[in-house]
Amino acid sequence: MRLAAVSAIFLTSLILSACAASSGPEDVPVAPPSQETTNSITRSSGPVPTAEVGSAAPQVVKQQQQQQALTWTETPPEPQAFVPMAKTDGVPVPAEKPVALLMPVNPAISVAPQTRMQIYSRRFRDAKPINFGSSSPRKLAVHGVDVSRWQGDIDWEKLQAQGANFVYLKATDGGDHLDPMFKKNWRRAKEAGLKRGAYHFFYWCRTAGEQADWFMRNVPREAGALPPVIDVEWNGESSCKRKPSREHVLEKMQVFMDKLERYYGQRPIIYTAPDFYRDNLRGEFTDYPFWLRSVAAHPSQVYPGRKWLFWQYSGSGLTHGVEGRIDLNAFHGSEEEWHSWLASRSN
């Protein structure tokens, strides 16, 4: 009986000492740190430095001193993460300024001055010269050309020096034909410094949608390019002999032009000839720019009342840089108006 009492007292003492040993919060066992990392963190392959390295040790000692000064009866300091941030118009504002705000509001940026393109004077000749009288295209300040595969390899620098300030390049026909020289001409004309655009010869035996898709597939959407052109005319040499009604012509043109305008961000230009204009376009598309073929008289005589942007005044031009004949064109305006028009086309 005495031995049992001593054993009971001894067991009770062990239980009480165990409770006392576990009553302090500092003595709660801590789980080992996780070995997992996120995808954005790369674990260092070298040893982890101790707290005594660099300037970290004084900070650790200071934190330990602050913890020792606290008692468990006092309210611990509130973590900064839970301090409400100041708000301005409902938008939280951080307590500290971001580093970016310490930089100048308008830092100096070196920007190269924009220069206007040089305008080359017209020096073309004509195999079949026409006397336009007082309305001669020679009086217009800015001239250019349009070309296709039939002009072969072009010396663009020589062509520019002769007065070609802009060029329209044949790109596509119908829904399946690409001019074999288009890609080369597109690249080389830009390298020579000409303003250039592309045109599509419209087939009346293909849907407007598939023709627009074919053009967009082959002609780059490029900043600084001239607006795309739809070439609408009756062509007796084309394999398509169909001549749709005026109503059908206008409907197909509108579908094609709408798709191009959405894609390139510029309203297409309409190129046409006198007979097609007379049959279909008189009084139509008044809010579209026109490029008019008129090789025997001023456009005002052939297309009365029609405003125009470009005038194709010759199909028999002669110039250095191209073997054979070439189409000659002029912009309807002064040199200053040309620069203003180009600026409005920037996209």
Side-chain angles (χ1 to χ4, degrees):
M1 183 72 177
R2 181 181 180 87
L3 180 60
V6 171
S7 300
I9 294 171
F10 180 74
L11 291 173
T12 303
S13 299
L14 289 176
I15 294 172
L16 291 174
S17 62
C19 292
S22 61
S23 61
E26 296 88 349
D27 298 323
V28 177
V30 179
S34 171
Q35 298 300 308
E36 296 180 350
T37 61
T38 65
N39 290 336
S40 60
I41 298 176
T42 302
R43 187 180 297 278
S44 173
S45 59
V48 178
T50 63
E52 287 76 21
V53 176
S55 60
Q59 182 66 22
V60 174
V61 172
K62 182 178 181 181
Q63 291 178 353
Q64 291 176 346
Q65 292 173 348
Q66 291 176 346
Q67 290 177 353
Q68 292 175 357
L70 296 174
T71 64
W72 289 103
T73 58
E74 296 175 343
T75 303
E78 187 174 7
Q80 290 297 314
F82 298 98
V83 175
M85 293 187 297
K87 295 185 177 181
T88 303
D89 296 332
V91 180
V93 178
E96 297 181 359
K97 291 184 178 181
V99 176
L101 295 181
L102 302 179
M103 298 177 63
V105 177
N106 294 311
I109 300 176
S110 177
V111 179
Q114 296 183 355
T115 58
R116 292 182 171 183
M117 62 174 290
Q118 178 181 348
I119 300 299
Y120 291 84
S121 300
R122 179 190 183 280
R123 298 180 180 178
F124 305 122
R125 293 168 291 117
D126 202 321
K128 298 180 179 180
I130 298 294
N131 184 4
F132 290 95
S134 61
S135 57
S136 172
R138 290 179 176 273
K139 295 184 176 182
L140 296 174
V142 183
H143 291 253
V145 296
D146 61 273
V147 302
S148 68
R149 63 183 297 181
W150 306 114
Q151 276 68 51
D153 287 319
I154 298 172
D155 187 324
W156 289 99
E157 286 74 15
K158 287 184 178 180
L159 181 60
Q160 182 185 49
Q162 289 283 291
N165 298 287
F166 65 88
V167 59
Y168 264 102
L169 309 168
K170 171 70 171 295
T172 50
D173 289 46
D176 56 8
H177 178 73
L178 174 68
D179 189 291
M181 294 295 292
F182 171 70
K183 291 183 178 179
K184 179 179 180 180
N185 286 339
W186 182 262
R187 182 186 71 255
R188 286 288 293 115
K190 181 179 182 180
E191 292 172 352
L194 279 77
K195 302 301 294 184
R196 86 278 198 251
Y199 73 90
H200 172 83
F201 186 85
F202 200 87
Y203 272 19
W204 303 106
C205 298
R206 302 293 290 263
T207 67
E210 64 182 331
Q211 294 188 68
D213 291 340
W214 179 245
F215 183 88
M216 293 184 293
R217 177 179 172 181
N218 289 285
V219 177
R221 181 169 53 184
E222 186 174 312
L226 299 179
V229 168
I230 175 175
D231 179 346
V232 285
E233 52 186 299
W234 301 134
N235 185 359
E237 299 179 2
S238 172
S239 59
C240 177
K241 306 301 181 182
R242 182 182 302 172
K243 286 189 176 183
S245 67
R246 178 187 178 102
E247 181 181 7
H248 197 196
V249 163
L250 300 178
E251 179 183 356
K252 290 170 74 73
M253 288 179 62
Q254 191 69 70
V255 170
F256 181 89
M257 294 189 296
D258 285 347
K259 294 196 72 170
L260 263 60
E261 184 169 356
R262 285 193 297 269
Y263 184 76
Y264 293 101
Q266 299 193 78
R267 176 148 288 188
I269 297 171
I270 300 172
Y271 170 91
T272 194
D275 55 345
F276 188 90
Y277 180 86
R278 180 186 62 247
D279 294 342
N280 301 283
L281 299 179
R282 186 178 297 169
E284 303 291 346
F285 298 122
T286 56
D287 53 349
Y288 280 78
F290 271 73
W291 176 9
L292 302 175
R293 175 177 175 82
S294 183
V295 297
H298 190 270
S300 61
Q301 300 177 21
V302 183
Y303 308 87
R306 171 62 67 179
K307 294 181 179 180
W308 53 275
L309 183 67
F310 292 113
W311 171 18
Q312 187 182 84
Y313 60 84
S314 176
S316 54
L318 300 172
T319 179
H320 298 306
V322 176
E323 293 186 7
R325 301 180 181 185
I326 190 172
D327 292 334
L328 304 178
N329 303 271
F331 171 76
H332 192 192
S334 64
E335 183 175 330
E336 183 66 29
E337 288 169 328
W338 167 254
H339 290 303
S340 297
W341 183 73
L342 288 181
S344 69
R345 303 270 70 76
S346 300
N347 58 357

